[in-house]
Structures are given as structure tokens and as C-alpha cells.
Amino acid sequence: MGTARRSEFDQGIALEPHGSEAGRYEAELGAGWQIGGGVNGGLLLAVAGHALSLAHGDHRDPLSISGYYLSTSRPGPASVRTEVIRRGNSLSTGQAVLSQDGEERLRVLATYGDLAELDGEVHTSAQPPVMPPPEQCIGVEHAPKELISQAALLERFDLRLDPATVGWAVGQPSKQGRIQGWFRLADGREPDPLMLLLVADALPPVTFDLGRPGWAPTIELTVHLRATPAPGWLRVTHATSNLAGGYFEEDCEIWDSTDRLVAQSRQLARAPRQ
Amino acid sequence: MGTARRSEFDQGIALEPHGSEAGRYEAELGAGWQIGGGVNGGLLLAVAGHALSLAHGDHRDPLSISGYYLSTSRPGPASVRTEVIRRGNSLSTGQAVLSQDGEERLRVLATYGDLAELDGEVHTSAQPPVMPPPEQCIGVEHAPKELISQAALLERFDLRLDPATVGWAVGQPSKQGRIQGWFRLADGREPDPLMLLLVADALPPVTFDLGRPGWAPTIELTVHLRATPAPGWLRVTHATSNLAGGYFEEDCEIWDSTDRLVAQSRQLARAPRQ
């Protein structure tokens, strides 16, 4: 698996069909996708999403995909068992179970279709995030060392955060509960639907902007993919409006270089201790 | 099953354990919960959610629950098969499959806990919807006859819509993509976590307010339950910002009588034809 020319992301989500079990695929979770001691939840969703894409044939794009995180994933081998629950004319629904050493890490339900087949109407009232151009935004090389040392993941990204939402990096969180920035992969691999599953969980937890610098484990993450992204920079904005009872929601929008809202996601995560 | 004193909702989600199959429950989907030719998706989620609540023991409340809708449910018998995937100290994750005559209607993943055990901090920046008191809002008795005749469901509700978001009922949709109102059950049954699963899919499709009066089948619905609701009226507001490619997202907030944001949900639905 893997050639010199394959991008880091394609290597990261690469799958081999299992020799004898139909619908089962073998993956290798790379150490380069770790964050805070585990493998990034967005990458895991992209691995499971890739398996379901293979299982669903021409219904290859996840229109809606929900992941429930069960235990911390570690670098190393993983297996994904898929089940096609129902195949319809335009949509198919399936399930994936990602496990390591027999322990379940992630269970996924998803409905797949073909984004290229959707009708062309666009009535989007949401507005793309307003922020300075990438060269005036803050690269992760300016992030606190404690953050980078725990996040090999960040080396895979070219992430430029809006200066207005990055005060937390110098001890001055805005307390607005929003972080946004420009995103592309460091090796230049262009966006596609599966990559958006990674991007939906790529920014630092929005709780950083509320003055809570700890990690925020995801309980559940649902991504709606609404269009195939155009090549170029993505803009990603995420926010929370309800940190309560030890949990918070994180709503994310991903916009492509043509100003199309290509994905919306929401997760429920455990709030870092104050 | 059912006594004279049991509320309509409790009757609607009532379950009998299967005689011999562990984790399986039998339900009877009532004709009174129909809308647009099928059984309401929120009621179905509450039936499956009820089964998972029984399966999870003291982790009885769905903190996050995602339903994928596979085929149209009809009034009559249904079975729910549950699987506890993982039991942790404070959270448990499980799966439910709701079927009729061997055909799968709904598959659910959910993480359960005990809302009463959550810590008491509340940092909610979202604001409750602003609208006139219930007696100045619009009851469904004023809704178009075509709507009511297809929606036996509405007889179970005491739903009072904000006049500012109900212009569609007289051919003047606001085009804002928002509908909101006061909600309680017609028989006075007080809210609890499982009832909020019904409420998350109880309002007319938000596309009515965009001038599209057709039905909008749900592909996927995820509800986050964030607190046990207090007795009394609920306020429900839902909105869309991205109608495109034949689909739209519908984001819903449910507020209780103490101004607590008790649930947030999002669904992906198929847009009615224009």
C-alpha cells in the first residue's frame, strides 16, 4: 500500500479488502494523524467513510454520516466492517464498525448518494465567514508548543487561523465561542468529499476560544456533505452556543473557493475542565 | 398495554419485551401519529429511544441520538431490536433497529447517560426565541385543511405558532426559512427527555416558510438532549440556511419554561419540489 506519489491523506485512509470476509477492509492508522494522545476523529470518520464508499458502489458520496466514538484509537492496524442496510435508486444507507484488536473504536451510520447527480439549485442564505486573506492569517507555527507537541496532525495541515479568533493562543480568548480559518492539506492534495470529513474535525476545539485549553473528546459527529468542493483553499468556521452540563455542541461550516457551502457538521463533545 | 390514565404519548411509545429474544421489544405504531402518509419521524425516534433507554438501565437518557430513516412506517405492529455496544462509567452507546414485517424502517445509534448526574454549569450564549405569548399565537385549528387532513398527528399537539413565522398558511411565506412556536401535548402530559425526541420533528417543515408547501422526508435526524425539561410550555424554533441540490438542513432548538436550552437537533431532509 502507498506509493511515493500518493498524498498523505490518501495514504491515511487507504484500505485493503479483507481476504475472505465480504464488506471488510483493513486500514493502517498513521502516527502522523494523532492529536492529544489518540488518532484524530475526523480522520477516523474518513477511513470508515471510505470503506462505506467502496461498499456502496456508484452511491459513493456520504450525504449524511454520523460517527459515535467508543474508545481511543491508536496508530496501527484497524479493520472496518461494512453493512449495506438498504440500497435505493438515488440513496443507499449503510453502517460501518471500525475496530482495533477486536475493540470497537467507532460506529458509523451513513446515507450515500452521488453528489454529481444532485440538481443544480442553490438557495443558501448562510454567508461565508469574513476573514483576512490566508497570508494575513496565523499559521500553526505560531501556536503554543504544548499544542503542537501533542498534535502531529497539524503537520499534515496548512491551517491559517483568523487573527480575530486566535487570541487564546496568547492567553486572550475572545470568549465568543468561535474559531475560523483557511484550510488546505500541506502536501497540496485538493479537497474531495471524503477529505471534508477530516476537515469537519480539523480546527482546534472551539472551547479554546472560551478560555478552556484542554482537549475535548468527541461523543458524536454528524457531517452533511452538500456539494463536491472545488479545488483550492477551504474556509472553515465553527462555533458553540451551548456549553452546559459538561458538554458542548460544535457546529462547523466548510466553504469552498467558489463560495459554496459544501459541508455542515455538528458534534457533541465533552467540555474540558475549567 | 394502555390504561385509561396513560397519556397518548406514553401509549404511543409503549413497548413489551419480546418473549424470548433478549433486547427486543414490540411496539404498536398508532394511526394518530401519522403525517403525510407515514408515521411521524420524531415519534419513531422516541419509540427506538425508549427501547434503548430500557436496554441501557440507569443510563436512561439519550444525550445524543441519530436516526437514519429507511422506509415509510405505517400504523401497526413494529419491533425494535437493541444492542448495547459499550457500557462505560457515565455513558453507554447502543444501536436500535425498528422494523415492520421484517422491513427495516429506522436505524439508530445513540449515546446514553443520566441527565440528572450532569454538572450544573450552564454557559449558553444562544437566546430563547422571542415571540408573543401562547394566547396571541396561531393554533393549528387555523391551518389549511389540506394540512390538517394529512396530519392526525396535529390532534395530539397543542401547538401555537408565532404569527411572524406563519404567513405561509395564508400564502405569504416570509422566505426567512424559520418557523417557531409554543408546544405542549394536547392531553397535558408534561415534557421529559423522550418526549423531546418527538418535539424535535413536530413543527411543520421549515420549507413551508420558503414557499414550498410539500412534505419533506427526513433522511437523518440527530438530537442532543442537554437537560431534563421543566414542566410547562416548550418553545421550539427551527430554521434552515442551506437549501441546495434538492436537500436542506433543519436546525431545531427546544427551550423549556425556565429558559433552559434543553435540546438541539439537526436533520437532513429532501426538499419538496418547487
Side-chain angles (χ1 to χ4, degrees):
Chain A
M1 288 177 16
T3 72
R5 294 170 56 199
R6 184 184 260 178
S7 80
E8 290 183 322
F9 177 70
D10 293 299
Q11 252 177 279
I13 65 165
L15 296 169
E16 290 286 347
H18 187 262
S20 57
E21 192 182 325
R24 175 174 166 179
Y25 303 88
E26 303 300 318
E28 179 74 27
L29 304 180
W33 299 97
Q34 288 181 96
I35 183 147
V39 177
N40 170 260
L43 191 273
L44 295 174
L45 195 63
V47 170
H50 184 201
L52 282 169
S53 185
L54 297 175
H56 278 124
D58 56 327
H59 292 168
R60 59 184 179 172
D61 301 316
L63 270 59
S64 177
I65 182 166
S66 300
Y68 280 73
Y69 293 84
L70 294 150
S71 56
T72 305
S73 299
R74 307 294 179 193
S79 73
V80 186
R81 287 182 173 82
T82 61
E83 172 196 357
V84 176
I85 302 169
R86 178 176 182 272
R87 184 169 170 86
N89 290 330
S90 60
L91 298 177
S92 296
T93 299
Q95 175 173 299
V97 174
L98 189 152
S99 308
Q100 290 188 298
D101 291 328
E103 192 179 358
E104 192 164 336
R105 302 297 192 206
L106 170 67
R107 189 171 294 203
V108 169
L109 281 178
T111 292
Y112 275 61
D114 182 350
L115 288 172
E117 294 292 315
L118 301 190
D119 77 39
E121 64 160 2
V122 180
H123 300 286
T124 301
S125 58
Q127 295 294 317
V130 175
M131 52 189 174
E135 58 277 12
Q136 293 171 30
C137 285
I138 311 290
V140 283
E141 65 273 17
H142 300 291
K145 280 205 182 57
E146 318 83 79
L147 178 65
I148 294 182
S149 65
Q150 288 187 72
L153 175 75
L154 294 177
E155 297 166 22
R156 316 273 85 71
F157 298 169
D158 186 358
L159 176 60
R160 315 278 184 95
L161 296 176
D162 180 354
T165 68
V166 79
W168 47 267
V170 291
Q172 297 175 332
S174 83
K175 305 286 182 84
Q176 298 300 302
R178 179 175 296 279
I179 295 177
Q180 59 190 28
W182 299 87
F183 182 95
R184 60 184 180 189
L185 287 173
D187 65 5
R189 199 268 198 194
E190 294 290 358
D192 68 3
L194 287 178
M195 182 187 132
L196 297 184
L197 303 182
L198 170 70
V199 180
D201 195 37
L203 264 52
V206 72
T207 34
F208 282 16
D209 188 50
L210 295 174
R212 300 201 185 194
W215 295 109
T218 302
I219 306 293
E220 175 269 337
L221 168 61
T222 295
V223 185
H224 296 167
L225 288 184
R226 303 298 303 278
T228 302
W233 281 106
L234 299 168
R235 281 156 295 169
V236 190
T237 181
H238 72 182
T240 190
S241 66
N242 192 24
L243 172 67
Y247 294 90
F248 67 103
E249 102 287 17
E250 192 174 76
D251 273 11
C252 177
E253 293 180 357
I254 306 174
W255 295 77
D256 77 3
S257 59
T258 71
D259 280 354
R260 180 81 189 260
L261 179 51
V262 291
Q264 292 168 286
S265 71
R266 177 177 287 171
Q267 65 174 270
L268 182 70
R270 210 188 274 267
R273 301 265 167 227
Q274 197 155 20
Chain B
M1 287 174 16
T3 71
R5 293 170 57 201
R6 186 184 259 179
S7 80
E8 291 182 321
F9 177 71
D10 292 299
Q11 250 176 283
I13 66 166
L15 296 169
E16 290 286 346
H18 187 264
S20 57
E21 193 183 325
R24 176 175 167 179
Y25 303 87
E26 303 301 318
E28 179 74 26
L29 304 180
W33 299 97
Q34 287 181 98
I35 183 147
V39 177
N40 170 260
L43 192 274
L44 295 174
L45 195 63
V47 170
H50 185 201
L52 282 168
S53 184
L54 296 176
H56 279 125
D58 56 328
H59 293 169
R60 60 184 179 170
D61 301 316
L63 269 58
S64 177
I65 182 166
S66 300
Y68 279 73
Y69 294 84
L70 294 151
S71 56
T72 305
S73 299
R74 307 294 179 193
S79 72
V80 187
R81 287 182 173 81
T82 61
E83 173 196 356
V84 176
I85 303 168
R86 179 177 181 271
R87 185 170 170 86
N89 288 331
S90 59
L91 298 177
S92 295
T93 299
Q95 175 173 299
V97 175
L98 188 152
S99 308
Q100 291 188 296
D101 290 329
E103 191 177 359
E104 192 164 336
R105 302 296 191 207
L106 171 66
R107 191 172 294 203
V108 168
L109 281 178
T111 292
Y112 276 62
D114 182 350
L115 287 172
E117 295 292 315
L118 301 190
D119 77 39
E121 64 160 2
V122 180
H123 301 285
T124 302
S125 57
Q127 295 293 317
V130 175
M131 51 189 176
E135 57 277 13
Q136 292 169 31
C137 286
I138 312 289
V140 283
E141 64 274 17
H142 301 291
K145 279 206 181 56
E146 318 84 81
L147 178 65
I148 294 182
S149 64
Q150 286 186 73
L153 176 75
L154 293 178
E155 297 167 22
R156 315 273 85 70
F157 298 170
D158 186 357
L159 176 60
R160 315 277 183 94
L161 296 176
D162 180 353
T165 68
V166 79
W168 47 267
V170 292
Q172 297 176 331
S174 83
K175 305 287 183 84
Q176 298 299 302
R178 178 175 296 279
I179 295 177
Q180 58 190 28
W182 299 88
F183 181 97
R184 61 183 180 188
L185 287 173
D187 65 5
R189 198 267 199 195
E190 293 290 359
D192 66 5
L194 288 177
M195 181 186 133
L196 298 184
L197 303 182
L198 169 71
V199 181
D201 195 35
L203 264 52
V206 73
T207 36
F208 282 16
D209 188 50
L210 295 174
R212 300 199 186 195
W215 296 110
T218 303
I219 307 293
E220 176 268 336
L221 168 61
T222 295
V223 185
H224 296 169
L225 288 185
R226 304 298 303 279
T228 302
W233 281 104
L234 299 168
R235 280 156 297 168
V236 190
T237 182
H238 72 179
T240 188
S241 66
N242 192 24
L243 172 67
Y247 295 89
F248 68 102
E249 102 287 16
E250 192 173 77
D251 274 10
C252 177
E253 293 180 357
I254 306 174
W255 296 78
D256 76 3
S257 60
T258 70
D259 279 354
R260 180 81 188 257
L261 178 50
V262 291
Q264 292 168 286
S265 71
R266 177 177 286 171
Q267 65 173 272
L268 183 70
R270 211 187 273 266
R273 301 267 168 227
Q274 197 156 20

PDB file of all heavy atoms in Angstrom, chain B residues 20-42:
ATOM      1  N   SER B  20     -38.856 -14.115  23.974  1.00  0.00           N
ATOM      2  CA  SER B  20     -37.664 -14.967  24.068  1.00  0.00           C
ATOM      3  C   SER B  20     -36.371 -14.286  23.606  1.00  0.00           C
ATOM      4  O   SER B  20     -35.288 -14.727  23.975  1.00  0.00           O
ATOM      5  CB  SER B  20     -37.879 -16.236  23.228  1.00  0.00           C
ATOM      6  OG  SER B  20     -38.161 -15.880  21.889  1.00  0.00           O
ATOM      7  N   GLU B  21     -36.472 -13.209  22.824  1.00  0.00           N
ATOM      8  CA  GLU B  21     -35.255 -12.609  22.262  1.00  0.00           C
ATOM      9  C   GLU B  21     -34.805 -11.445  23.150  1.00  0.00           C
ATOM     10  O   GLU B  21     -35.487 -10.426  23.262  1.00  0.00           O
ATOM     11  CB  GLU B  21     -35.549 -12.131  20.827  1.00  0.00           C
ATOM     12  CG  GLU B  21     -34.319 -11.773  20.026  1.00  0.00           C
ATOM     13  CD  GLU B  21     -34.682 -11.246  18.627  1.00  0.00           C
ATOM     14  OE1 GLU B  21     -35.679 -11.729  18.028  1.00  0.00           O
ATOM     15  OE2 GLU B  21     -33.978 -10.336  18.164  1.00  0.00           O
ATOM     16  N   ALA B  22     -33.633 -11.570  23.755  1.00  0.00           N
ATOM     17  CA  ALA B  22     -33.136 -10.516  24.647  1.00  0.00           C
ATOM     18  C   ALA B  22     -32.899  -9.225  23.860  1.00  0.00           C
ATOM     19  O   ALA B  22     -32.415  -9.256  22.730  1.00  0.00           O
ATOM     20  CB  ALA B  22     -31.834 -10.962  25.308  1.00  0.00           C
ATOM     21  N   GLY B  23     -33.261  -8.106  24.447  1.00  0.00           N
ATOM     22  CA  GLY B  23     -33.006  -6.805  23.824  1.00  0.00           C
ATOM     23  C   GLY B  23     -34.023  -6.431  22.753  1.00  0.00           C
ATOM     24  O   GLY B  23     -33.909  -5.373  22.140  1.00  0.00           O
ATOM     25  N   ARG B  24     -35.034  -7.298  22.540  1.00  0.00           N
ATOM     26  CA  ARG B  24     -36.062  -6.993  21.536  1.00  0.00           C
ATOM     27  C   ARG B  24     -37.367  -6.580  22.219  1.00  0.00           C
ATOM     28  O   ARG B  24     -37.762  -7.162  23.226  1.00  0.00           O
ATOM     29  CB  ARG B  24     -36.303  -8.217  20.645  1.00  0.00           C
ATOM     30  CG  ARG B  24     -37.429  -8.008  19.651  1.00  0.00           C
ATOM     31  CD  ARG B  24     -37.559  -9.197  18.702  1.00  0.00           C
ATOM     32  NE  ARG B  24     -38.822  -9.127  17.974  1.00  0.00           N
ATOM     33  CZ  ARG B  24     -39.217 -10.016  17.054  1.00  0.00           C
ATOM     34  NH1 ARG B  24     -38.433 -11.043  16.751  1.00  0.00           N
ATOM     35  NH2 ARG B  24     -40.375  -9.880  16.455  1.00  0.00           N
ATOM     36  N   TYR B  25     -38.009  -5.571  21.643  1.00  0.00           N
ATOM     37  CA  TYR B  25     -39.260  -5.051  22.195  1.00  0.00           C
ATOM     38  C   TYR B  25     -40.283  -4.937  21.073  1.00  0.00           C
ATOM     39  O   TYR B  25     -39.935  -4.690  19.924  1.00  0.00           O
ATOM     40  CB  TYR B  25     -39.039  -3.669  22.826  1.00  0.00           C
ATOM     41  CG  TYR B  25     -37.991  -3.673  23.908  1.00  0.00           C
ATOM     42  CD1 TYR B  25     -36.641  -3.494  23.602  1.00  0.00           C
ATOM     43  CD2 TYR B  25     -38.344  -3.880  25.235  1.00  0.00           C
ATOM     44  CE1 TYR B  25     -35.666  -3.518  24.590  1.00  0.00           C
ATOM     45  CE2 TYR B  25     -37.384  -3.912  26.237  1.00  0.00           C
ATOM     46  CZ  TYR B  25     -36.043  -3.732  25.914  1.00  0.00           C
ATOM     47  OH  TYR B  25     -35.087  -3.764  26.893  1.00  0.00           O
ATOM     48  N   GLU B  26     -41.562  -5.092  21.452  1.00  0.00           N
ATOM     49  CA  GLU B  26     -42.647  -4.974  20.475  1.00  0.00           C
ATOM     50  C   GLU B  26     -43.409  -3.679  20.725  1.00  0.00           C
ATOM     51  O   GLU B  26     -43.708  -3.324  21.864  1.00  0.00           O
ATOM     52  CB  GLU B  26     -43.608  -6.163  20.599  1.00  0.00           C
ATOM     53  CG  GLU B  26     -42.936  -7.519  20.434  1.00  0.00           C
ATOM     54  CD  GLU B  26     -42.237  -7.681  19.090  1.00  0.00           C
ATOM     55  OE1 GLU B  26     -42.808  -7.266  18.063  1.00  0.00           O
ATOM     56  OE2 GLU B  26     -41.102  -8.210  19.066  1.00  0.00           O
ATOM     57  N   ALA B  27     -43.719  -2.968  19.632  1.00  0.00           N
ATOM     58  CA  ALA B  27     -44.456  -1.712  19.718  1.00  0.00           C
ATOM     59  C   ALA B  27     -45.675  -1.775  18.808  1.00  0.00           C
ATOM     60  O   ALA B  27     -45.787  -2.669  17.955  1.00  0.00           O
ATOM     61  CB  ALA B  27     -43.552  -0.557  19.285  1.00  0.00           C
ATOM     62  N   GLU B  28     -46.585  -0.847  18.993  1.00  0.00           N
ATOM     63  CA  GLU B  28     -47.753  -0.720  18.124  1.00  0.00           C
ATOM     64  C   GLU B  28     -47.795   0.749  17.689  1.00  0.00           C
ATOM     65  O   GLU B  28     -48.047   1.638  18.503  1.00  0.00           O
ATOM     66  CB  GLU B  28     -49.021  -1.087  18.904  1.00  0.00           C
ATOM     67  CG  GLU B  28     -50.314  -0.974  18.127  1.00  0.00           C
ATOM     68  CD  GLU B  28     -50.510  -2.106  17.111  1.00  0.00           C
ATOM     69  OE1 GLU B  28     -49.950  -3.209  17.318  1.00  0.00           O
ATOM     70  OE2 GLU B  28     -51.205  -1.854  16.098  1.00  0.00           O
ATOM     71  N   LEU B  29     -47.488   1.000  16.414  1.00  0.00           N
ATOM     72  CA  LEU B  29     -47.465   2.383  15.937  1.00  0.00           C
ATOM     73  C   LEU B  29     -48.906   2.843  15.720  1.00  0.00           C
ATOM     74  O   LEU B  29     -49.647   2.251  14.928  1.00  0.00           O
ATOM     75  CB  LEU B  29     -46.647   2.497  14.648  1.00  0.00           C
ATOM     76  CG  LEU B  29     -45.201   1.986  14.726  1.00  0.00           C
ATOM     77  CD1 LEU B  29     -44.496   2.169  13.377  1.00  0.00           C
ATOM     78  CD2 LEU B  29     -44.406   2.676  15.835  1.00  0.00           C
ATOM     79  N   GLY B  30     -49.286   3.900  16.432  1.00  0.00           N
ATOM     80  CA  GLY B  30     -50.679   4.335  16.411  1.00  0.00           C
ATOM     81  C   GLY B  30     -51.013   5.181  15.190  1.00  0.00           C
ATOM     82  O   GLY B  30     -50.204   6.000  14.734  1.00  0.00           O
ATOM     83  N   ALA B  31     -52.244   4.997  14.662  1.00  0.00           N
ATOM     84  CA  ALA B  31     -52.689   5.772  13.492  1.00  0.00           C
ATOM     85  C   ALA B  31     -52.730   7.267  13.811  1.00  0.00           C
ATOM     86  O   ALA B  31     -52.637   8.106  12.910  1.00  0.00           O
ATOM     87  CB  ALA B  31     -54.071   5.289  13.053  1.00  0.00           C
ATOM     88  N   GLY B  32     -52.857   7.604  15.088  1.00  0.00           N
ATOM     89  CA  GLY B  32     -52.937   9.007  15.493  1.00  0.00           C
ATOM     90  C   GLY B  32     -51.629   9.777  15.372  1.00  0.00           C
ATOM     91  O   GLY B  32     -51.600  10.981  15.601  1.00  0.00           O
ATOM     92  N   TRP B  33     -50.542   9.096  15.004  1.00  0.00           N
ATOM     93  CA  TRP B  33     -49.238   9.770  14.881  1.00  0.00           C
ATOM     94  C   TRP B  33     -48.801   9.910  13.431  1.00  0.00           C
ATOM     95  O   TRP B  33     -47.637  10.172  13.141  1.00  0.00           O
ATOM     96  CB  TRP B  33     -48.175   9.008  15.691  1.00  0.00           C
ATOM     97  CG  TRP B  33     -48.519   8.953  17.139  1.00  0.00           C
ATOM     98  CD1 TRP B  33     -49.140   7.926  17.782  1.00  0.00           C
ATOM     99  CD2 TRP B  33     -48.308   9.969  18.125  1.00  0.00           C
ATOM    100  NE1 TRP B  33     -49.322   8.238  19.110  1.00  0.00           N
ATOM    101  CE2 TRP B  33     -48.818   9.488  19.349  1.00  0.00           C
ATOM    102  CE3 TRP B  33     -47.732  11.247  18.094  1.00  0.00           C
ATOM    103  CZ2 TRP B  33     -48.787  10.235  20.531  1.00  0.00           C
ATOM    104  CZ3 TRP B  33     -47.688  11.987  19.275  1.00  0.00           C
ATOM    105  CH2 TRP B  33     -48.207  11.486  20.466  1.00  0.00           C
ATOM    106  N   GLN B  34     -49.800   9.758  12.523  1.00  0.00           N
ATOM    107  CA  GLN B  34     -49.457   9.848  11.102  1.00  0.00           C
ATOM    108  C   GLN B  34     -49.350  11.291  10.631  1.00  0.00           C
ATOM    109  O   GLN B  34     -50.013  12.183  11.135  1.00  0.00           O
ATOM    110  CB  GLN B  34     -50.534   9.174  10.258  1.00  0.00           C
ATOM    111  CG  GLN B  34     -50.517   7.669  10.339  1.00  0.00           C
ATOM    112  CD  GLN B  34     -51.606   7.077   9.464  1.00  0.00           C
ATOM    113  OE1 GLN B  34     -51.357   6.668   8.351  1.00  0.00           O
ATOM    114  NE2 GLN B  34     -52.811   7.039   9.990  1.00  0.00           N
ATOM    115  N   ILE B  35     -48.530  11.460   9.625  1.00  0.00           N
ATOM    116  CA  ILE B  35     -48.424  12.743   8.937  1.00  0.00           C
ATOM    117  C   ILE B  35     -47.983  12.469   7.503  1.00  0.00           C
ATOM    118  O   ILE B  35     -47.048  11.688   7.272  1.00  0.00           O
ATOM    119  CB  ILE B  35     -47.458  13.705   9.668  1.00  0.00           C
ATOM    120  CG1 ILE B  35     -47.430  15.045   8.968  1.00  0.00           C
ATOM    121  CG2 ILE B  35     -46.048  13.142   9.777  1.00  0.00           C
ATOM    122  CD1 ILE B  35     -47.229  16.201   9.909  1.00  0.00           C
ATOM    123  N   GLY B  36     -48.711  13.084   6.575  1.00  0.00           N
ATOM    124  CA  GLY B  36     -48.332  12.956   5.163  1.00  0.00           C
ATOM    125  C   GLY B  36     -48.199  11.517   4.700  1.00  0.00           C
ATOM    126  O   GLY B  36     -47.353  11.216   3.873  1.00  0.00           O
ATOM    127  N   GLY B  37     -48.988  10.592   5.249  1.00  0.00           N
ATOM    128  CA  GLY B  37     -48.992   9.219   4.758  1.00  0.00           C
ATOM    129  C   GLY B  37     -48.104   8.251   5.513  1.00  0.00           C
ATOM    130  O   GLY B  37     -48.123   7.053   5.246  1.00  0.00           O
ATOM    131  N   GLY B  38     -47.297   8.718   6.447  1.00  0.00           N
ATOM    132  CA  GLY B  38     -46.468   7.815   7.242  1.00  0.00           C
ATOM    133  C   GLY B  38     -46.551   8.186   8.712  1.00  0.00           C
ATOM    134  O   GLY B  38     -47.209   9.162   9.075  1.00  0.00           O
ATOM    135  N   VAL B  39     -45.883   7.391   9.564  1.00  0.00           N
ATOM    136  CA  VAL B  39     -45.842   7.728  10.990  1.00  0.00           C
ATOM    137  C   VAL B  39     -44.725   8.745  11.197  1.00  0.00           C
ATOM    138  O   VAL B  39     -43.638   8.610  10.631  1.00  0.00           O
ATOM    139  CB  VAL B  39     -45.626   6.454  11.834  1.00  0.00           C
ATOM    140  CG1 VAL B  39     -45.497   6.800  13.302  1.00  0.00           C
ATOM    141  CG2 VAL B  39     -46.775   5.473  11.612  1.00  0.00           C
ATOM    142  N   ASN B  40     -45.002   9.762  11.983  1.00  0.00           N
ATOM    143  CA  ASN B  40     -44.045  10.853  12.229  1.00  0.00           C
ATOM    144  C   ASN B  40     -42.663  10.355  12.680  1.00  0.00           C
ATOM    145  O   ASN B  40     -42.549   9.486  13.551  1.00  0.00           O
ATOM    146  CB  ASN B  40     -44.646  11.783  13.295  1.00  0.00           C
ATOM    147  CG  ASN B  40     -43.666  12.811  13.815  1.00  0.00           C
ATOM    148  OD1 ASN B  40     -43.088  12.639  14.879  1.00  0.00           O
ATOM    149  ND2 ASN B  40     -43.450  13.868  13.061  1.00  0.00           N
ATOM    150  N   GLY B  41     -41.636  10.944  12.085  1.00  0.00           N
ATOM    151  CA  GLY B  41     -40.269  10.509  12.366  1.00  0.00           C
ATOM    152  C   GLY B  41     -39.814  10.767  13.791  1.00  0.00           C
ATOM    153  O   GLY B  41     -39.002  10.010  14.329  1.00  0.00           O
ATOM    154  N   GLY B  42     -40.339  11.809  14.410  1.00  0.00           N
ATOM    155  CA  GLY B  42     -39.987  12.088  15.799  1.00  0.00           C
ATOM    156  C   GLY B  42     -40.567  11.045  16.740  1.00  0.00           C
ATOM    157  O   GLY B  42     -39.911  10.610  17.699  1.00  0.00           O
TER     158      GLY B  42
END
